[in-house]
Amino acid sequence: MQDRIGRRQLAALVEAGINLASELELDVLLQRIADLSREVIGARYGAVGVVDQEGKLLRFVHSGVGQEVVDQIGRLPEGTGLLGVLIEEGRPLRLHEIKDHPKSSGWPEHHPDMHSFLGVPITGRRRILGRLYLTEKHHDRDFSKDDERLAMMFAAQAGVAIENANLYEEARRRSVELARRMNELSSVERVGSLLITEGSAEEALGSIAHEARRLTDADATNISLLNAGTGELVVRFASEAHSAGQDIVGIRLGAGTSKAHSAL
């Protein structure tokens, strides 16, 4: 019977690893890690904490606790106390009774009562990425050494998946940044071509106003020119997301009546 249970768990672990490898959205991935680990090892509650290079908790995802209870608890854990032991020591931790551990600080109001505990670090190639927590082994039993081995194997798979998701997010950020820079260069090229051709100054300045609004994602942009004789700023060109921008062309701002004067 025990061998059959072991085979089922290993099969579930392999399937979980395949599922994790196919997920690249980090927040979705963390939830799947928490859910699948609880299912594979047989725990009532599970959680995943992701930390930065200094060990500070960045994300905390839970499984098995209803949203209504989560809302009642309020603030999520900060990774101190018992939850921080796995980072400090970098090794698995199994407990028969959570409250008996010297680092245990008890539960906040509305928190489910928990007794048995299994925690393992999630490691990457160069550092600890986070922690996997499981509590309340099914059938009121303690977590076994076999559970610990399964959790360690699962955490290893989770570490690879988290690093892949981090790489994907970094690649996506760089792609967005590259697209933004290419957009900037394209705008500069369009304005520059107007300046070196026989186009009018009005046409060039109008294009500058439009490109500036588009690049900054602003609602409106206008170009005002200084009347040296009167000291007034005269709105010469305007670009708005809606056509109403042309209504302000020709408005005169007296000397010292706008913040734009202080920039001159």
mmCIF file of all heavy atoms in Angstrom, residues 45 65-75 106-114:
data_model
loop_
_atom_site.group_PDB
_atom_site.id
_atom_site.type_symbol
_atom_site.label_atom_id
_atom_site.label_comp_id
_atom_site.label_asym_id
_atom_site.label_seq_id
_atom_site.Cartn_x
_atom_site.Cartn_y
_atom_site.Cartn_z
ATOM 1 N N TYR A 45 -2.911 23.143 4.194
ATOM 2 C CA TYR A 45 -2.530 24.508 3.835
ATOM 3 C C TYR A 45 -1.145 24.512 3.198
ATOM 4 O O TYR A 45 -0.283 23.689 3.530
ATOM 5 C CB TYR A 45 -2.499 25.416 5.072
ATOM 6 C CG TYR A 45 -3.794 25.451 5.854
ATOM 7 C CD1 TYR A 45 -3.881 24.873 7.112
ATOM 8 C CD2 TYR A 45 -4.926 26.067 5.327
ATOM 9 C CE1 TYR A 45 -5.069 24.896 7.838
ATOM 10 C CE2 TYR A 45 -6.116 26.100 6.043
ATOM 11 C CZ TYR A 45 -6.187 25.510 7.296
ATOM 12 O OH TYR A 45 -7.360 25.532 8.001
ATOM 13 N N VAL A 65 -6.527 28.563 2.310
ATOM 14 C CA VAL A 65 -7.210 29.519 3.187
ATOM 15 C C VAL A 65 -8.141 30.359 2.327
ATOM 16 O O VAL A 65 -7.709 30.959 1.340
ATOM 17 C CB VAL A 65 -6.203 30.435 3.925
ATOM 18 C CG1 VAL A 65 -6.944 31.401 4.845
ATOM 19 C CG2 VAL A 65 -5.218 29.595 4.720
ATOM 20 N N GLY A 66 -9.420 30.406 2.680
ATOM 21 C CA GLY A 66 -10.385 31.162 1.894
ATOM 22 C C GLY A 66 -10.113 32.655 1.920
ATOM 23 O O GLY A 66 -9.528 33.187 2.869
ATOM 24 N N GLN A 67 -10.547 33.338 0.860
ATOM 25 C CA GLN A 67 -10.285 34.771 0.744
ATOM 26 C C GLN A 67 -10.935 35.574 1.870
ATOM 27 O O GLN A 67 -10.388 36.571 2.331
ATOM 28 C CB GLN A 67 -10.792 35.282 -0.616
ATOM 29 C CG GLN A 67 -10.389 36.711 -0.921
ATOM 30 C CD GLN A 67 -8.881 36.893 -0.905
ATOM 31 O OE1 GLN A 67 -8.142 36.116 -1.509
ATOM 32 N NE2 GLN A 67 -8.411 37.937 -0.227
ATOM 33 N N GLU A 68 -12.097 35.114 2.331
ATOM 34 C CA GLU A 68 -12.765 35.822 3.427
ATOM 35 C C GLU A 68 -11.896 35.807 4.688
ATOM 36 O O GLU A 68 -11.760 36.829 5.376
ATOM 37 C CB GLU A 68 -14.120 35.182 3.717
ATOM 38 C CG GLU A 68 -14.907 35.884 4.818
ATOM 39 C CD GLU A 68 -16.259 35.241 5.063
ATOM 40 O OE1 GLU A 68 -16.678 34.386 4.254
ATOM 41 O OE2 GLU A 68 -16.904 35.600 6.079
ATOM 42 N N VAL A 69 -11.278 34.658 4.962
ATOM 43 C CA VAL A 69 -10.397 34.558 6.125
ATOM 44 C C VAL A 69 -9.148 35.404 5.928
ATOM 45 O O VAL A 69 -8.675 36.074 6.852
ATOM 46 C CB VAL A 69 -10.013 33.088 6.382
ATOM 47 C CG1 VAL A 69 -8.996 32.978 7.523
ATOM 48 C CG2 VAL A 69 -11.250 32.260 6.687
ATOM 49 N N VAL A 70 -8.608 35.379 4.711
ATOM 50 C CA VAL A 70 -7.422 36.194 4.400
ATOM 51 C C VAL A 70 -7.716 37.662 4.644
ATOM 52 O O VAL A 70 -6.905 38.397 5.226
ATOM 53 C CB VAL A 70 -6.973 35.959 2.944
ATOM 54 C CG1 VAL A 70 -5.857 36.931 2.560
ATOM 55 C CG2 VAL A 70 -6.504 34.528 2.757
ATOM 56 N N ASP A 71 -8.885 38.119 4.206
ATOM 57 C CA ASP A 71 -9.262 39.517 4.408
ATOM 58 C C ASP A 71 -9.384 39.843 5.896
ATOM 59 O O ASP A 71 -9.032 40.945 6.332
ATOM 60 C CB ASP A 71 -10.584 39.810 3.696
ATOM 61 C CG ASP A 71 -10.467 39.725 2.183
ATOM 62 O OD1 ASP A 71 -9.339 39.820 1.677
ATOM 63 O OD2 ASP A 71 -11.508 39.534 1.512
ATOM 64 N N GLN A 72 -9.876 38.898 6.686
ATOM 65 C CA GLN A 72 -10.018 39.121 8.123
ATOM 66 C C GLN A 72 -8.654 39.180 8.810
ATOM 67 O O GLN A 72 -8.449 39.975 9.735
ATOM 68 C CB GLN A 72 -10.859 38.009 8.745
ATOM 69 C CG GLN A 72 -12.327 38.050 8.361
ATOM 70 C CD GLN A 72 -13.099 36.849 8.914
ATOM 71 O OE1 GLN A 72 -12.520 35.811 9.209
ATOM 72 N NE2 GLN A 72 -14.406 37.006 9.054
ATOM 73 N N ILE A 73 -7.709 38.354 8.335
ATOM 74 C CA ILE A 73 -6.367 38.349 8.923
ATOM 75 C C ILE A 73 -5.671 39.681 8.659
ATOM 76 O O ILE A 73 -5.009 40.246 9.531
ATOM 77 C CB ILE A 73 -5.523 37.187 8.362
ATOM 78 C CG1 ILE A 73 -6.129 35.850 8.795
ATOM 79 C CG2 ILE A 73 -4.080 37.288 8.820
ATOM 80 C CD1 ILE A 73 -5.486 34.640 8.152
ATOM 81 N N GLY A 74 -5.848 40.195 7.455
ATOM 82 C CA GLY A 74 -5.251 41.490 7.125
ATOM 83 C C GLY A 74 -3.863 41.340 6.552
ATOM 84 O O GLY A 74 -3.667 40.669 5.539
ATOM 85 N N ARG A 75 -2.885 41.926 7.199
ATOM 86 C CA ARG A 75 -1.526 41.987 6.665
ATOM 87 C C ARG A 75 -0.915 40.598 6.502
ATOM 88 O O ARG A 75 -1.009 39.748 7.395
ATOM 89 C CB ARG A 75 -0.641 42.822 7.594
ATOM 90 C CG ARG A 75 0.741 43.129 7.014
ATOM 91 C CD ARG A 75 1.511 44.054 7.919
ATOM 92 N NE ARG A 75 1.763 43.437 9.217
ATOM 93 C CZ ARG A 75 2.412 44.048 10.207
ATOM 94 N NH1 ARG A 75 2.811 45.285 10.056
ATOM 95 N NH2 ARG A 75 2.620 43.424 11.355
ATOM 96 N N GLY A 106 3.213 32.697 17.329
ATOM 97 C CA GLY A 106 1.766 32.586 17.420
ATOM 98 C C GLY A 106 1.078 33.068 16.156
ATOM 99 O O GLY A 106 1.711 33.395 15.152
ATOM 100 N N TRP A 107 -0.260 33.115 16.220
ATOM 101 C CA TRP A 107 -1.048 33.472 15.051
ATOM 102 C C TRP A 107 -1.778 34.792 15.276
ATOM 103 O O TRP A 107 -2.212 35.080 16.386
ATOM 104 C CB TRP A 107 -2.089 32.393 14.747
ATOM 105 C CG TRP A 107 -1.549 31.003 14.692
ATOM 106 C CD1 TRP A 107 -1.836 29.974 15.536
ATOM 107 C CD2 TRP A 107 -0.625 30.486 13.735
ATOM 108 N NE1 TRP A 107 -1.157 28.847 15.175
ATOM 109 C CE2 TRP A 107 -0.396 29.135 14.063
ATOM 110 C CE3 TRP A 107 0.037 31.038 12.638
ATOM 111 C CZ2 TRP A 107 0.455 28.318 13.339
ATOM 112 C CZ3 TRP A 107 0.884 30.229 11.916
ATOM 113 C CH2 TRP A 107 1.085 28.888 12.263
ATOM 114 N N PRO A 108 -1.928 35.574 14.237
ATOM 115 C CA PRO A 108 -2.778 36.764 14.362
ATOM 116 C C PRO A 108 -4.243 36.361 14.485
ATOM 117 O O PRO A 108 -4.609 35.204 14.233
ATOM 118 C CB PRO A 108 -2.521 37.524 13.053
ATOM 119 C CG PRO A 108 -2.090 36.468 12.083
ATOM 120 C CD PRO A 108 -1.336 35.441 12.891
ATOM 121 N N GLU A 109 -5.062 37.288 14.863
ATOM 122 C CA GLU A 109 -6.491 37.022 15.006
ATOM 123 C C GLU A 109 -7.080 36.534 13.683
ATOM 124 O O GLU A 109 -6.693 37.018 12.609
ATOM 125 C CB GLU A 109 -7.206 38.291 15.472
ATOM 126 C CG GLU A 109 -8.655 38.080 15.859
ATOM 127 C CD GLU A 109 -9.312 39.351 16.383
ATOM 128 O OE1 GLU A 109 -8.631 40.401 16.371
ATOM 129 O OE2 GLU A 109 -10.492 39.284 16.776
ATOM 130 N N HIS A 110 -7.991 35.583 13.749
ATOM 131 C CA HIS A 110 -8.701 34.982 12.613
ATOM 132 C C HIS A 110 -7.850 33.973 11.834
ATOM 133 O O HIS A 110 -8.341 33.361 10.886
ATOM 134 C CB HIS A 110 -9.214 36.046 11.633
ATOM 135 C CG HIS A 110 -10.086 37.085 12.260
ATOM 136 N ND1 HIS A 110 -11.300 36.798 12.822
ATOM 137 C CD2 HIS A 110 -9.901 38.429 12.432
ATOM 138 C CE1 HIS A 110 -11.843 37.903 13.293
ATOM 139 N NE2 HIS A 110 -11.019 38.899 13.084
ATOM 140 N N HIS A 111 -6.567 33.805 12.181
ATOM 141 C CA HIS A 111 -5.713 32.861 11.461
ATOM 142 C C HIS A 111 -6.112 31.429 11.820
ATOM 143 O O HIS A 111 -6.358 31.129 12.982
ATOM 144 C CB HIS A 111 -4.248 33.104 11.833
ATOM 145 C CG HIS A 111 -3.267 32.441 10.910
ATOM 146 N ND1 HIS A 111 -3.060 31.073 10.899
ATOM 147 C CD2 HIS A 111 -2.443 32.964 9.962
ATOM 148 C CE1 HIS A 111 -2.151 30.787 9.996
ATOM 149 N NE2 HIS A 111 -1.754 31.906 9.411
ATOM 150 N N PRO A 112 -6.204 30.524 10.850
ATOM 151 C CA PRO A 112 -6.524 29.128 11.166
ATOM 152 C C PRO A 112 -5.488 28.530 12.117
ATOM 153 O O PRO A 112 -4.295 28.856 12.033
ATOM 154 C CB PRO A 112 -6.484 28.431 9.804
ATOM 155 C CG PRO A 112 -6.612 29.513 8.794
ATOM 156 C CD PRO A 112 -6.016 30.734 9.397
ATOM 157 N N ASP A 113 -5.935 27.661 12.975
ATOM 158 C CA ASP A 113 -5.020 26.987 13.882
ATOM 159 C C ASP A 113 -4.231 25.943 13.099
ATOM 160 O O ASP A 113 -4.798 25.176 12.323
ATOM 161 C CB ASP A 113 -5.808 26.328 15.013
ATOM 162 C CG ASP A 113 -4.919 25.965 16.185
ATOM 163 O OD1 ASP A 113 -3.842 26.574 16.314
ATOM 164 O OD2 ASP A 113 -5.303 25.074 16.953
ATOM 165 N N MET A 114 -2.916 25.904 13.279
ATOM 166 C CA MET A 114 -2.054 24.979 12.549
ATOM 167 C C MET A 114 -1.110 24.297 13.523
ATOM 168 O O MET A 114 -0.646 24.914 14.481
ATOM 169 C CB MET A 114 -1.254 25.719 11.468
ATOM 170 C CG MET A 114 -2.116 26.382 10.408
ATOM 171 S SD MET A 114 -1.126 27.288 9.180
ATOM 172 C CE MET A 114 -2.430 27.973 8.144
#
